[in-house]
Amino acid sequence: MPTVVAEAFKNISKSPGLQIWTIEKMEVVPLPPKAYGTFFEGDCYLILSISKTARGTSEALHYWIGKESSQDEQGAAAMYVTQLDDSLGGGPTQYRETQGYESPEFKSYFKSGIL
């Protein structure tokens, strides 16, 4: 595994909210919060949602697959989502989201919609 991945996942916040990464040149790169909700059809993204529940916190891990993304990028996203899940102790529920067929839960993260 590239050490860049370990670095990208090393500073994961356990606070409620969203954290999003994209795949660039087969490596995972964090997105700035101002870019949340904007997805490019040629890319793949990892989205971690942490929310407070009556029992503590709930973690959902989505990976979004753009309809024009390459097979290599899709494979990298699947590999990185597994690595991210492992770094979180296997706790998150995982979801695969495909462009145009996003789940209601996924859409609910973006109050202004998805671009």
Side-chain angles (χ1 to χ4, degrees):
M1 288 291 133
T3 55
V4 173
V5 174
E7 284 297 314
F9 295 149
K10 197 180 281 185
N11 297 317
I12 295 173
S13 172
K14 297 289 187 166
S15 299
L18 287 180
Q19 295 170 76
I20 302 178
W21 298 266
T22 188
I23 308 297
E24 290 181 4
K25 298 179 184 172
M26 305 310 286
E27 302 215 1
V28 68
V29 177
L31 282 183
K34 66 181 180 185
Y36 289 9
T38 301
F39 299 97
F40 294 93
E41 63 186 20
D43 293 330
C44 296
Y45 298 84
L46 308 179
I47 299 93
L48 174 63
S49 172
I50 299 175
S51 57
K52 280 196 179 278
T53 66
R55 294 185 224 157
T57 59
S58 173
E59 300 169 334
L61 182 54
H62 300 257
Y63 61 110
W64 186 90
I65 307 297
K67 65 182 178 184
E68 299 295 325
S69 61
S70 70
Q71 287 290 91
D72 287 344
E73 195 167 68
Q74 292 175 30
M79 178 189 72
Y80 289 133
V81 83
T82 300
Q83 188 175 35
L84 178 54
D85 183 67
D86 288 348
S87 74
L88 293 166
T93 303
Q94 291 185 30
Y95 302 90
R96 183 179 189 273
E97 307 286 349
T98 54
Q99 184 178 356
Y101 300 94
E102 295 87 355
S103 67
E105 180 177 359
F106 181 81
K107 290 179 182 178
S108 76
Y109 302 148
F110 308 100
K111 304 303 180 208
S112 300
I114 298 172
L115 296 174

